[in-house]
Amino acid sequence: MKPTAIATGLTALPASLRVTWNDGTAGEFASIWLRDNLPEDRDAHSGQRLVDVMDIPAEPRIQSARLQADTVTINWQGEARPASIPLAWLHQCATGDRGRPELQVRRWLEAAGLAPQRDFAVLSYAELGGAASARLDWLTRLLQDGIAFLRGVPQREHAILEACAHIGYVPETNYGRVFDVRAVPQPENLAYSDRGLGLHTDNPYREPVPGFQALHTLLAAPDGGDSLFADGFALAEHLRATAPEAFRILSQTPVPFLYQSAGADLYAERPLIELSCTGAFTAVNYNNRAIRSLRLPVPECEAFYAAYRAFAALLREPKFQMATRLEDGDLVIFDNRRVLHGRSGFASARHPRHLQGCYLTRDSVYSMTAVLRRQLSSGSRA
Amino acid sequence: MKPTAIATGLTALPASLRVTWNDGTAGEFASIWLRDNLPEDRDAHSGQRLVDVMDIPAEPRIQSARLQADTVTINWQGEARPASIPLAWLHQCATGDRGRPELQVRRWLEAAGLAPQRDFAVLSYAELGGAASARLDWLTRLLQDGIAFLRGVPQREHAILEACAHIGYVPETNYGRVFDVRAVPQPENLAYSDRGLGLHTDNPYREPVPGFQALHTLLAAPDGGDSLFADGFALAEHLRATAPEAFRILSQTPVPFLYQSAGADLYAERPLIELSCTGAFTAVNYNNRAIRSLRLPVPECEAFYAAYRAFAALLREPKFQMATRLEDGDLVIFDNRRVLHGRSGFASARHPRHLQGCYLTRDSVYSMTAVLRRQLSSGSRA
């Protein structure tokens, strides 16, 4: 564990506070921000803030501040009550360390040379239910890489739910909690056929798009039916670097997606490349089976198709795809908003390939990881 | 039912097709779009597209086209197979009618004068399980207005799940499928206290943020504990009109939200006003209890707080709030990404106010509505 940095300098202005530490860290904090983040305005039990931004002065001003052992004490102009703010917390804010290594995305563009066992997190089913540290490591790498594998999951129906109980929550959708991926006559979804499926993300017509997808191989096909994976964020970044206009169009054009069956009618509009308000990647949505007819004036329509093809061409390049064979009892889980998946075709008449799949809510997997880390960390301190 | 429009004119260019109808509709369709949307490239059973955009020519060119009774037939340059496209479908594309009235958002800014029974959809529990047409109307108005009410839901625990079975899917979260809203000592969440709660949206720390929230009153407090609602989209639009710089800041600054309890650790960053890639409102995220410490340089931090206060001030204005009393057996359901809710405080020692709540996945409510409309429409045609 790192030694605690010691605060060595303090500069108080009316509108801000500057603190320096002996490890070289320096932080400047606006008075309004300090006033809004006082520990005494948080509920002691839940940690939730008890005041609204309208309950504090619009422009709080610092009268004086002084360093103490573990806190900095602030006197506010026009307020009787001084505030004590923990220095350790200010140090953490100043370094920007959120203490969540799982948020550090590790991209993998050239995927053809990658193999699950060597390049991604692989755990046996027994290990998943065993030591918490192995599970935390596996979960953290799942979130960083967007994909991870389990081996030896029991080959019985719904064993996938037993495995996912260690990973997150499985929501119910029109496909049920668990769906069977095998070739059936007249499938409602082409996934339930023996066709090869190009790289895609699942259910872009859904809101929310499933956060994670798990697929459990109950019975592998003796030949064909191999699985393909690619990192959509790495591919989108590659498109941004090599074809910026295509990237711009795909991130700014909402595309309609539709799925209809007897019991469901799902419609959503979203761009193929979804960005956050700061331009970070939020999701890649790519599913040629479900993309609906986009209506645009002819010139924009032609520009969209050119961009769409540029992205589709990347997705077809073998060098960007990891091909791997899922054996009986293997389970793969991946971030369905980031990692594209596909499969080669197989002969369903001769081979009864059977996978079961389910989705997991995004936050539940991140929460499971953070809770596990907190438990391990408090255990190691005890 | 409207009479079918008759196609009266056709202009075929190599790169586009123009069709006019006798109801005044005119549509121009890019060749690449037509080629990508051929009915024969769709699976007859599932309606899913069988070809990838890379499977069709990059620049398909029309050689000739001719009108027939119900279709337009196109011959492509360099391709042997002609294509037949239904005119009714082209007409629908040309008018832009998605046939989904629930997507037409109806905003309500000045809410103080509004009342559930008069201004929103209210249905009895018996009606919810009765005629499909009444349920479709109620669901459609729920989606347009962002809020709707049920009366007379049985006052027994988990009756909310029986009601929601008619509305959508209820996911499991760390709060369970159903959560109890009543005052308890040392609550993990301040919602489970007797405090008043300002207008807020639930769980901005979650991904996905819950799409809809339902609250069922098992036992109303004799005094206090009134419910407050406001239309976040209308308020955000009002902010855009009156304080554009505040709007810009709030829609472009990701804010950290956090919730921690014994079994959960949920963290997400999102702006207070979320926009789609075309600038449409996606969500309002507002929860002073869960907003975490935003780290920004001092000038940006001060600008953010000024914007935050401008929005918070709107949320405090009584004229933008509908206050209503939920009686025993009442159930309210609202779009949690759009409609803010709150409550006045109540005295928990004397009055055992008890609500049960749950969330519903966003797509399931829209799907339920669309399937119901499809069923009613095919019934009326039969």
Side-chain angles (χ1 to χ4, degrees):
Chain A
M1 196 158 163
K2 275 192 300 188
T4 309
I6 296 166
T8 49
L10 184 72
T11 313
L13 298 175
S16 70
L17 188 74
R18 194 179 151 79
V19 186
T20 52
W21 283 267
N22 68 348
D23 64 353
T25 303
E28 192 177 18
F29 309 95
S31 296
I32 180 74
W33 180 90
L34 290 163
R35 188 65 185 75
D36 188 40
N37 281 290
L38 298 186
E40 57 258 48
D41 287 337
R42 300 227 174 219
D43 184 64
H45 186 75
S46 69
Q48 294 191 305
R49 184 184 277 95
L50 296 168
V51 295
D52 187 83
V53 70
M54 297 301 284
D55 298 327
I56 64 174
E59 297 188 335
R61 290 293 171 255
I62 296 172
Q63 192 164 54
S64 65
R66 67 174 189 282
L67 279 182
Q68 290 176 298
D70 299 326
T71 59
V72 55
T73 300
I74 298 173
N75 287 294
W76 305 100
Q77 293 178 19
E79 292 194 70
R81 184 182 71 159
S84 276
I85 300 177
L87 279 160
W89 182 72
L90 287 179
H91 184 266
Q92 191 189 335
C93 291
T95 57
D97 176 18
R98 290 172 296 189
R100 297 180 184 266
E102 67 272 19
L103 298 181
Q104 289 160 23
V105 169
R106 191 183 73 93
R107 292 191 191 139
W108 37 282
L109 176 63
E110 305 235 346
L114 302 180
Q117 192 69 46
R118 196 184 56 226
D119 300 296
F120 294 99
V122 181
L123 211 60
S124 75
Y125 184 62
E127 288 168 318
L128 182 74
S133 59
R135 184 151 64 100
L136 174 60
D137 179 60
W138 183 85
L139 283 166
T140 303
R141 291 183 63 194
L142 161 63
L143 299 178
Q144 290 176 337
D145 297 339
I147 190 168
F149 298 84
L150 293 176
R151 303 283 191 233
V153 178
Q155 285 169 258
R156 57 170 182 267
E157 303 229 347
H158 289 196
I160 191 173
L161 291 180
E162 297 165 41
C164 287
H166 296 284
I167 306 172
Y169 286 120
V170 174
E172 185 180 6
T173 73
N174 52 295
Y175 299 119
R177 285 187 81 213
V178 172
F179 47 87
D180 288 282
V181 184
R182 59 183 154 198
V184 299
Q186 296 209 325
E188 285 199 334
N189 191 310
L190 294 179
Y192 307 155
S193 72
D194 53 11
R195 286 173 175 275
L197 295 176
L199 287 175
H200 64 280
T201 59
D202 263 29
N203 300 19
Y205 42 74
R206 193 180 290 292
E207 173 55 43
V209 171
F212 290 86
Q213 177 169 181
L215 287 169
H216 175 213
T217 306
L218 288 168
L219 205 55
D223 55 63
D226 276 5
S227 295
L228 309 172
F229 299 100
D231 182 349
F233 286 2
L235 286 163
E237 186 58 56
H238 186 67
L239 186 75
R240 170 148 60 184
T242 56
E245 178 61 10
F247 179 88
R248 189 193 63 74
I249 289 171
L250 295 188
S251 60
Q252 291 181 9
T253 308
V255 170
F257 291 97
L258 181 71
Y259 176 81
Q260 291 178 308
S261 67
D265 197 319
L266 297 157
Y267 177 84
E269 296 176 11
R270 48 182 90 249
L272 297 194
I273 298 172
E274 254 183 275
L275 304 177
S276 78
C277 65
T278 59
F281 293 121
T282 307
V284 165
N285 303 295
Y286 191 92
N287 191 314
N288 72 295
R289 283 168 287 144
I291 191 170
R292 207 59 184 178
S293 51
L294 178 72
R295 279 297 291 151
L296 288 171
V298 171
E300 284 94 322
C301 190
E302 291 179 339
F304 172 80
Y305 271 95
Y308 182 20
R309 285 181 68 91
F311 196 40
L314 290 186
L315 297 185
R316 287 225 174 168
E317 280 195 45
K319 71 174 172 183
F320 297 136
Q321 303 178 359
M322 174 169 70
T324 187
R325 194 176 150 69
L326 295 178
E327 303 291 350
D328 295 352
D330 284 357
L331 183 150
V332 60
I333 177 168
F334 51 90
D335 181 340
N336 181 60
R337 305 203 65 189
R338 172 183 167 193
V339 170
L340 299 109
H341 67 290
R343 70 171 183 225
S344 56
F346 57 97
S348 62
R350 290 181 299 129
H351 308 301
R353 179 183 189 263
H354 184 196
L355 273 58
Q356 285 198 315
C358 68
Y359 300 121
L360 295 95
T361 57
R362 190 168 188 80
D363 56 350
S364 68
V365 183
Y366 282 87
S367 178
M368 193 76 89
T369 306
V371 168
L372 204 54
R373 188 177 49 240
R374 199 207 300 159
Q375 287 168 350
L376 281 169
S377 141
S378 68
S380 70
R381 265 194 253 118
Chain B
M1 197 160 162
K2 275 192 298 187
T4 309
I6 295 166
T8 49
L10 184 73
T11 312
L13 298 174
S16 69
L17 189 75
R18 194 179 150 81
V19 186
T20 51
W21 283 267
N22 68 348
D23 64 352
T25 302
E28 192 176 19
F29 309 96
S31 295
I32 181 73
W33 180 90
L34 290 162
R35 187 65 185 75
D36 188 39
N37 281 290
L38 298 186
E40 57 258 47
D41 287 336
R42 299 229 174 218
D43 184 64
H45 186 73
S46 69
Q48 295 191 304
R49 184 185 277 96
L50 296 169
V51 295
D52 187 84
V53 69
M54 297 300 283
D55 298 326
I56 64 174
E59 296 188 335
R61 291 292 172 255
I62 296 172
Q63 192 163 56
S64 64
R66 68 176 189 283
L67 279 182
Q68 290 176 299
D70 300 325
T71 58
V72 54
T73 299
I74 298 173
N75 287 293
W76 304 100
Q77 293 179 19
E79 293 194 70
R81 184 183 71 157
S84 276
I85 300 178
L87 279 160
W89 182 72
L90 287 179
H91 184 265
Q92 192 188 335
C93 291
T95 57
D97 177 18
R98 290 172 295 190
R100 297 179 185 265
E102 67 273 19
L103 298 181
Q104 289 159 23
V105 168
R106 190 183 75 92
R107 291 191 192 139
W108 37 283
L109 177 64
E110 305 235 345
L114 302 180
Q117 193 69 44
R118 195 184 56 228
D119 299 297
F120 294 99
V122 180
L123 212 60
S124 74
Y125 184 63
E127 289 168 319
L128 182 73
S133 59
R135 183 150 66 101
L136 174 60
D137 179 58
W138 183 84
L139 283 167
T140 303
R141 290 182 64 193
L142 161 64
L143 299 178
Q144 291 176 336
D145 297 340
I147 190 167
F149 298 83
L150 294 176
R151 302 284 190 231
V153 177
Q155 286 171 257
R156 57 171 181 266
E157 303 229 347
H158 290 196
I160 190 172
L161 291 179
E162 296 164 40
C164 286
H166 297 284
I167 305 172
Y169 286 120
V170 174
E172 185 181 8
T173 73
N174 51 295
Y175 300 118
R177 285 187 81 214
V178 173
F179 47 87
D180 287 282
V181 184
R182 59 182 154 197
V184 298
Q186 296 209 326
E188 285 198 335
N189 190 310
L190 294 180
Y192 307 156
S193 71
D194 53 11
R195 286 172 175 276
L197 295 176
L199 287 174
H200 64 280
T201 59
D202 263 28
N203 299 16
Y205 43 74
R206 194 180 290 292
E207 172 56 43
V209 171
F212 290 87
Q213 177 170 180
L215 287 169
H216 175 214
T217 306
L218 289 167
L219 204 55
D223 54 63
D226 277 8
S227 295
L228 309 171
F229 300 100
D231 182 349
F233 286 3
L235 285 164
E237 186 57 56
H238 186 66
L239 186 75
R240 171 149 58 186
T242 55
E245 177 61 9
F247 179 88
R248 188 193 63 74
I249 290 171
L250 295 188
S251 60
Q252 291 181 10
T253 308
V255 170
F257 290 97
L258 180 71
Y259 176 81
Q260 291 179 309
S261 66
D265 198 318
L266 298 158
Y267 177 84
E269 295 176 12
R270 47 182 91 249
L272 298 194
I273 298 173
E274 254 184 275
L275 304 177
S276 78
C277 67
T278 58
F281 293 121
T282 307
V284 165
N285 303 296
Y286 191 93
N287 191 314
N288 71 293
R289 283 169 288 144
I291 190 171
R292 206 60 183 175
S293 50
L294 177 73
R295 278 299 291 153
L296 288 172
V298 171
E300 284 93 322
C301 190
E302 291 179 339
F304 172 80
Y305 271 94
Y308 183 20
R309 285 182 69 92
F311 196 40
L314 290 184
L315 298 185
R316 288 226 174 167
E317 281 196 45
K319 71 174 173 184
F320 297 136
Q321 303 178 359
M322 174 169 69
T324 186
R325 197 179 146 69
L326 295 177
E327 303 291 351
D328 295 352
D330 284 358
L331 184 150
V332 59
I333 177 169
F334 51 90
D335 181 340
N336 181 60
R337 304 202 66 190
R338 172 182 167 195
V339 170
L340 300 108
H341 67 290
R343 69 168 184 230
S344 54
F346 56 98
S348 62
R350 289 181 300 128
H351 308 301
R353 179 183 189 261
H354 184 196
L355 273 59
Q356 284 198 317
C358 68
Y359 300 121
L360 295 94
T361 57
R362 191 169 188 79
D363 56 348
S364 68
V365 183
Y366 282 87
S367 178
M368 193 76 90
T369 307
V371 167
L372 204 55
R373 188 178 48 241
R374 199 206 300 157
Q375 287 168 351
L376 281 168
S377 141
S378 68
S380 71
R381 266 193 252 117

